[in-house]
Amino acid sequence: MRRGSGAVLDATAVSLPGGAFTMGSDTHYPEEAPAHPVRVDGFSIDATTVTNRQFAAFVRDTRYVTVAERPPDPQDYPDADPANLVPGSLVFTQTPGPVDLRHLSQWWTWTAGACWSAPEGPGSSVKRRPDHPVVQVALEDCEAYAAWAGATLPTEAEWEYAARGGLDGAAYTWGDEARPDGRIMANTWDGPDFPWRSTRESGFVGTAPVGSFPPNGYGLFDMAGNVWEWTADWWVSRHPDAAEKPCCVPTNPRGGPVEASYDPAQPQFRIGRRVVKGGSHLCADTYCLRYRPAARRPQMVDTGTSHLGFRCVRRTPSGGGTHE
């Protein structure tokens, strides 16, 4: 495996022994609290997110059709405009100038024809981006790939344990400074002018090839920035309180039930939401400081985006019985 800017990486998994760590944060966004100790059993995790090259191999072998390539079922979207019920997905679009950051619809556009092989819609292609992370994948697509690869998706706790790289309680995957010695450590939005102007300081606008930035302490790449990553856990709006006694620290914790994950702002959509982790190239310090291991967001399981991907884990037979 080569490391460094623009490196092309083999599909290497890193074995982790598991152990106790502090999950969550009390100093950032409310959904990350409270910080609390948990334990995870040992597992191995992909060193990088799944790439376009790897996903293409899966599609060739299985003839799999992703969710974004299938026409939506009108019964699932009773209030939707029929004109929008065509295959497609959500694509980030830079705005021509400053906008009200409370309204995401100003930079997210439902785009007919957008899918994993054409992430920005018709006319776009991943042919020249084989080593970029695959995007525009819904949960079902990720689980299908993982099953084909003899793997599964990480739990939120496994993902965060891996992302921390042994730095328990640190703000970032590399420590507590956003830019140690001035170095850019992850593919995030350059400059304060999201979503309309980037300084392009990092050299990337959009996704970067996996491995373009330094790995964390466990040798894992892009656990911060580049693309958000799916996990196996249903969304809950806060973490549980810390155990009162060391003997009661949870092992291999999981999220809540699917019913509790529904979006209360959209009660007409009974669609589960999974936890996504890691932030993306759209994380700007002035808007979304979520390229941190504790950061977490909900994502409807039927919806991919142009900044959302995944990586896989494999568990040892003795890795406990509470993961699934």
Side-chain angles (χ1 to χ4, degrees):
M1 178 188 302
R2 293 189 294 116
R3 299 177 180 176
S5 179
V8 176
L9 305 176
D10 297 327
T12 302
V14 175
S15 294
L16 302 179
F21 75 102
T22 303
M23 186 175 179
S25 170
D26 293 323
T27 58
H28 292 94
Y29 296 103
E31 68 271 10
E32 301 170 18
H36 62 294
V38 302
R39 295 189 185 93
V40 294
D41 292 327
F43 61 98
S44 65
I45 184 169
D46 291 347
T48 74
T49 52
V50 174
T51 64
N52 290 317
R53 186 197 310 275
Q54 292 169 317
F55 200 80
F58 158 66
V59 170
R60 285 194 304 269
D61 188 54
T62 63
R63 299 185 180 181
Y64 182 83
V65 178
T66 62
V67 171
E69 297 171 282
R70 309 172 202 163
D73 186 344
Q75 294 184 358
D76 292 335
Y77 306 93
D79 299 324
D81 183 342
N84 292 332
L85 296 179
V86 296
S89 195
L90 287 170
V91 175
F92 169 74
T93 305
Q94 284 188 239
T95 61
V99 295
D100 187 339
L101 296 179
R102 292 174 297 177
H103 302 293
L104 283 67
S105 61
Q106 295 179 100
W107 58 87
W108 284 108
T109 304
W110 177 264
T111 304
C115 64
W116 78 270
S117 59
E120 293 81 46
S124 65
S125 174
V126 298
K127 289 184 178 179
R128 294 186 178 181
R129 291 180 269 177
D131 299 304
H132 287 236
V134 67
V135 294
Q136 300 294 17
V137 281
L139 177 68
E140 182 181 335
D141 307 326
C142 303
E143 292 181 331
Y145 175 95
W148 173 78
T152 189
L153 295 179
T155 66
E156 181 179 3
E158 287 171 335
W159 194 100
E160 188 168 330
Y161 168 81
R164 291 188 174 279
L167 299 178
D168 192 31
Y172 300 96
T173 64
W174 53 83
D176 287 318
E177 294 183 49
R179 290 193 178 187
D181 299 321
R183 290 178 296 161
I184 298 176
M185 302 297 289
N187 182 23
T188 60
W189 186 270
D190 296 319
D193 299 323
F194 179 85
W196 66 283
R197 181 171 60 186
S198 169
T199 63
R200 301 173 180 256
E201 185 180 359
S202 67
F204 298 102
V205 175
T207 60
V210 297
S212 294
F213 294 84
N216 73 358
Y218 290 153
L220 304 174
F221 294 84
D222 305 315
M223 299 299 285
N226 217 16
V227 294
W228 285 94
E229 301 181 25
W230 287 102
T231 75
D233 284 358
W234 297 112
W235 172 259
V236 289
S237 60
R238 72 184 301 274
H239 287 306
D241 293 330
E244 295 183 358
K245 298 179 180 179
C247 64
C248 303
V249 169
T251 298
N252 302 323
R254 298 302 306 267
V258 60
E259 294 81 9
S261 76
Y262 298 149
D263 187 352
Q266 301 184 77
Q268 71 274 31
F269 295 136
R270 305 283 288 176
I271 299 172
R273 298 183 296 169
R274 288 283 181 94
V275 176
V276 296
K277 298 281 284 182
S280 79
H281 60 88
L282 298 181
C283 281
D285 289 0
T286 55
Y287 168 66
C288 177
L289 188 59
R290 288 188 168 90
Y291 57 99
R292 297 172 294 100
R296 54 198 301 270
R297 294 295 295 164
Q299 179 70 23
M300 286 186 172
V301 298
D302 64 342
T303 306
T305 70
S306 57
H307 73 332
L308 174 60
F310 70 107
R311 74 181 73 209
C312 298
V313 300
R314 294 162 184 82
R315 303 187 182 102
T316 59
S318 59
T322 60
H323 283 92
E324 302 297 343

